[in-house]
């Protein structure tokens, strides 16, 4: 059930999204 | 469930990531909708962290609880791994929320003082305590000696408590969520997350209550393993694809906390279900004592570790120890179908006496288009076959020529899987054709 390579890639993208979320918080604070 | 090997859709994966982003950022969106008053960068940053924490709690509810509409796109083991990592991140963000606030304006520390309002202080202290409890009990469950069942009960209870208190706190704090529509939106949003947890823990077992199973036989196998066969009582059983797994509860009540995942080892489309488990913990050790006639409950099937439906595509399987069980389901199903599909199976074990299903594999080798390559770490004297560990040299001797449209299936202990996955990648195998199943998920 595991596409490990894909998962690692998706995981990286997910981490980027988490970073995006933090930027969203920062924008909320800087609005 | 209908996941097709080799047809992984990137678009689906990215759509899910976009959904994750929206789910996590929605509370911030809800707060922004009413243009909350500005309170300075640090206090607003702190509020933003708290709102993001609320959103991440919803993501946590979505990525746990084996939601069948989420799992097939990623694999349940990936999703649980993600849930763990995200849980840690969400907790850190939530804890950063008060730390930033108290640093920016120490006068806010009064909210922790019960003399200044016992209710708010009790909520906040319980929230912080619950967060620590859920982290410590999840990351150090075994070190703490917590049984899986007790941990599962605790995890669900703490998750619900954290959600409810966090929403209560956000509404009571009142700075960013002032207008009534926003308050309702937040309650609905968090209510959905709570509904997901209730769905997993109560509704799904409840809807399963008319589908009991009965243990028909308990049989010892080579390699310190036990095979349990179950038959459906008053229903038509379970339809599954070979290679899938299900969650088993061996108890009178479907609500029992004890629920363990095992690969379905029998022939697909048979009325009976069987699984084979090696003795590794309390639960698997207790399987030997299960009496025929005992009640059982089955939730599933799950997983997309399934052979390509195109029978002209050969399979190259690598199994380590009890990782053989999903492969057995495939081989038994091929046998029942009279399939002549080409299958190579590299099967690693410590000793010859440990080789689960040794005799049955010998028969299947005669009757299917199957070649079994046993690899023994400690072979007996005069052993003509492969010995040692499954490594690159061994794979070079067994692998089909590159470019052939083979589907690779790997299941076994972590080190074996890491070696095989890396070796296949180094040999230029298209990773979309490599299927692997990790069973050490909880």
């Amino acid at each position: 059930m595991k596409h490990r390579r894909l998962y690692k890639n998706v995981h990286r993208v997910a981490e980027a999204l988490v970073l995006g979320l933090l930027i969203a918080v920062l924008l909320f604070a800087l609005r | 469930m209908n996941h097709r090997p080799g047809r992984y859709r990137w678009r689906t994966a990215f759509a899910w990531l976009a959904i994750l982003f929206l789910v996590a950022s929605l509370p911030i969106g809800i707060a922004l909708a009413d243009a909350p008053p500005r309170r300075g960068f640090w206090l607003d940053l702190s509020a933003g962290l708290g709102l993001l924490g609320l959103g991440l709690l919803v993501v946590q509810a979505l990525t746990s609880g084996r939601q069948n509409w989420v799992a097939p796109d990623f694999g349940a083991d990936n999703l649980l791994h993600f849930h763990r990592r995200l849980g840690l991140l969400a907790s850190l963000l939530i804890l950063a929320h008060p730390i930033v606030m108290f640093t920016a304006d120490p006068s806010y520390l009064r909210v922790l003082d019960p003399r200044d309002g016992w209710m708010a202080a009790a909520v906040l202290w319980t929230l912080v305590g619950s967060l620590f409890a859920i982290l410590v009990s999840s990351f150090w469950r075994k070190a703490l000696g917590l049984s899986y069942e007790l941990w599962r009960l605790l995890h669900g209870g703490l998750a619900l408590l954290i959600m409810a208190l966090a929403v209560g706190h956000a509404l009571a704090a009142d700075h960013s969520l002032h207008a009534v529509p926003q308050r309702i939106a937040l309650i609905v949003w968090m209510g959905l997350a709570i509904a997901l947890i209730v769905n997993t823990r109560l509704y799904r077992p409840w809807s399963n209550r008319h589908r009991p199973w009965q243990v028909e036989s308990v049989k010892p196998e080579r390699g310190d393993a036990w095979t349990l066969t179950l038959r459906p009582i008053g229903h038509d059983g379970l339809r599954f694809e070979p290679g899938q797994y299900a969650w088993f509860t061996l108890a009178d009540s479907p609500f029992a906390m004890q629920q363990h995942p095992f690969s379905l080892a029998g022939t697909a489309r048979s009325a009976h279900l069987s699984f084979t488990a090696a003795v590794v913990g309390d639960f698997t050790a207790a399987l030997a004592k299960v009496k025929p006639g005992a009640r059982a409950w089955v939730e599933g099937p799950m997983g997309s570790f399934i052979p390509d439906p195109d029978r002209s595509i050969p399979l190259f399987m690598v199994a380590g120890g009890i990782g053989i069980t999903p492969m057995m389901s495939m081989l038994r199903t091929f046998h029942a179908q009279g399939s002549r599909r080409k299958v190579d199976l590299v099967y690693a074990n410590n000793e010859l006496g440990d080789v689960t299903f040794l005799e049955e594999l010998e028969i299947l080798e005669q009757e299917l288009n199957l070649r079994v390559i046993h690899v023994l770490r400690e072979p007996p004297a005069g052993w003509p076959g492969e010995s040692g560990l499954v490594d690159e040299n061994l794979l070079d001797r067994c692998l089909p020529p590159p470019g052939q449209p083979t589907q690779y299936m790997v299941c076994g202990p972590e080190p074996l899987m890491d070696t095989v996955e890396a070796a296949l990648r180094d040999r230029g195998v298209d990773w979309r054709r490599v299927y692997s199943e990790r069973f050490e998920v909880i």
Side-chain angles (χ1 to χ4, degrees):
Chain A
M1 82 180 130
K2 181 162 210 158
H3 299 266
R4 194 156 179 79
R5 284 282 298 289
L6 174 85
Y7 175 65
K8 279 183 178 159
N9 293 334
V10 169
H11 213 242
R12 247 169 243 139
V13 180
E15 277 162 5
L17 278 180
V18 168
L19 202 70
L21 288 170
L22 290 176
I23 293 170
V25 173
L26 212 61
L27 289 176
F28 177 79
L30 287 170
R31 93 203 110 94
Chain B
M1 287 293 109
N2 300 316
H3 189 67
R4 288 258 179 118
R7 300 191 192 159
Y8 197 92
R9 291 185 306 266
W10 279 95
R11 229 181 290 167
T12 318
F14 282 104
W16 271 114
L17 291 169
I19 290 171
L20 178 149
F21 185 88
L22 287 176
V23 167
S25 55
L26 197 79
I28 292 183
I30 292 174
L32 279 174
D34 194 43
R38 296 228 41 197
R39 293 185 294 156
F41 173 77
W42 290 106
L43 289 181
D44 282 345
L45 179 70
S46 161
L49 285 168
L51 290 165
L52 179 59
L54 283 175
L56 286 172
L57 289 180
V58 185
V59 177
Q60 285 299 83
L62 200 64
T63 54
S64 64
R66 314 188 291 275
Q67 307 297 344
N68 242 339
W69 37 282
V70 185
D73 289 324
F74 289 107
D77 48 356
N78 292 333
L79 214 55
L80 276 182
H81 180 69
F82 186 71
H83 177 81
R84 278 171 75 89
R85 291 185 63 161
L86 200 68
L88 183 63
L89 181 89
S91 307
L92 292 176
L93 290 178
I94 293 173
L95 291 171
H97 158 63
I99 291 171
V100 170
M101 182 161 287
F102 298 151
T103 312
D105 184 352
S107 74
Y108 276 104
L109 274 166
R110 70 177 186 277
V111 295
L112 293 175
D113 187 346
R115 290 166 300 183
D116 230 69
W118 66 270
M119 182 106 156
V123 165
L124 294 176
W125 282 112
T126 313
L127 203 44
V128 173
S130 306
L131 269 178
F132 274 110
I134 207 167
L135 280 182
V136 170
S137 63
S138 300
F139 285 90
W140 290 283
R141 173 174 79 81
K142 284 184 182 156
L144 290 169
L146 270 178
S147 73
Y148 172 70
E149 290 76 29
L150 186 61
W151 169 79
R152 198 165 170 243
L153 187 66
L154 190 71
H155 200 73
L158 285 172
L160 283 176
L161 186 68
I162 291 170
M163 297 252 186
L165 292 180
V167 179
H169 163 68
L171 295 176
D174 203 31
H175 293 296
S176 326
L177 296 155
H178 199 65
V180 174
Q182 290 171 289
R183 298 169 82 83
I184 292 172
L186 188 78
I187 291 169
V188 168
W189 193 232
M190 301 303 286
L192 284 176
I194 290 172
L196 279 178
I197 299 176
V198 171
N199 170 277
T200 302
R201 300 303 183 98
L202 295 174
Y203 177 72
R204 289 211 313 254
W206 182 78
S207 62
N208 215 358
R209 75 199 181 287
H210 296 309
R211 299 181 66 81
W213 295 73
Q214 192 178 48
V215 176
E216 196 166 76
S217 65
V218 182
K219 187 176 133 219
E221 303 280 0
R222 283 175 183 271
D224 200 14
W226 293 85
T227 294
L228 270 72
T229 305
L230 312 180
R231 68 181 183 89
I233 306 288
H235 58 94
D236 55 357
L238 197 70
R239 284 180 64 87
F240 66 96
E241 298 288 333
Q244 289 194 298
Y245 67 98
W247 291 78
F248 290 88
T249 302
L250 292 168
D252 290 332
S253 158
F255 297 102
M257 277 296 135
Q258 162 244 63
Q259 211 184 17
H260 294 260
F262 293 109
S263 285
L264 298 161
T267 309
R269 295 180 190 87
S270 125
H272 290 60
L273 281 188
S274 74
F275 69 88
T276 301
V279 175
V280 287
D282 297 348
F283 180 75
T284 40
L287 287 178
K289 299 188 191 85
V290 173
K291 295 272 176 284
R295 180 66 31 122
W297 306 89
V298 181
E299 194 187 320
M302 299 187 177
S304 30
F305 188 69
I306 300 169
D308 195 303
D310 181 351
R311 292 187 191 181
S312 67
I313 295 178
L315 299 177
F316 186 89
M317 303 170 166
V318 183
I322 201 64
I324 189 71
T325 51
M327 318 314 194
M328 283 312 286
S329 177
M330 295 172 202
L331 296 176
R332 286 164 171 166
T333 304
F334 294 159
H335 188 251
Q337 292 169 339
S339 165
R340 296 296 298 163
R341 188 171 194 162
K342 182 170 165 30
V343 184
D344 290 319
L345 167 64
V346 175
Y347 185 16
N349 280 283
N350 279 329
E351 296 173 35
L352 197 58
D354 290 342
V355 180
T356 314
F357 307 123
L358 179 67
E359 291 80 6
E360 190 180 345
L361 282 169
E362 279 169 9
I363 296 168
L364 287 170
E365 210 172 0
Q366 305 291 322
E367 299 187 0
L368 293 173
N369 186 7
L370 165 71
R371 176 176 66 137
V372 183
I373 301 150
H374 287 287
V375 185
L376 299 177
R377 194 187 266 193
E378 293 159 28
W383 169 249
E386 299 284 352
S387 58
L389 295 170
V390 174
D391 58 15
E392 306 217 339
N393 289 333
L394 183 136
L395 289 171
D396 278 336
R397 288 198 293 279
C398 314
L399 279 172
Q404 199 178 304
T406 305
Q407 185 184 0
Y408 299 84
M409 314 209 75
V410 194
C411 183
E414 299 279 320
L416 172 95
M417 303 197 50
D418 290 341
T419 308
V420 175
E421 285 172 355
L424 292 177
R425 189 175 61 226
D426 293 347
R427 273 146 196 77
V429 170
D430 180 356
W431 54 264
R432 283 171 300 184
R433 304 221 69 93
V434 180
Y435 271 63
S436 42
E437 169 114 318
R438 290 176 186 251
F439 45 76
E440 291 159 27
V441 288
I442 45 173

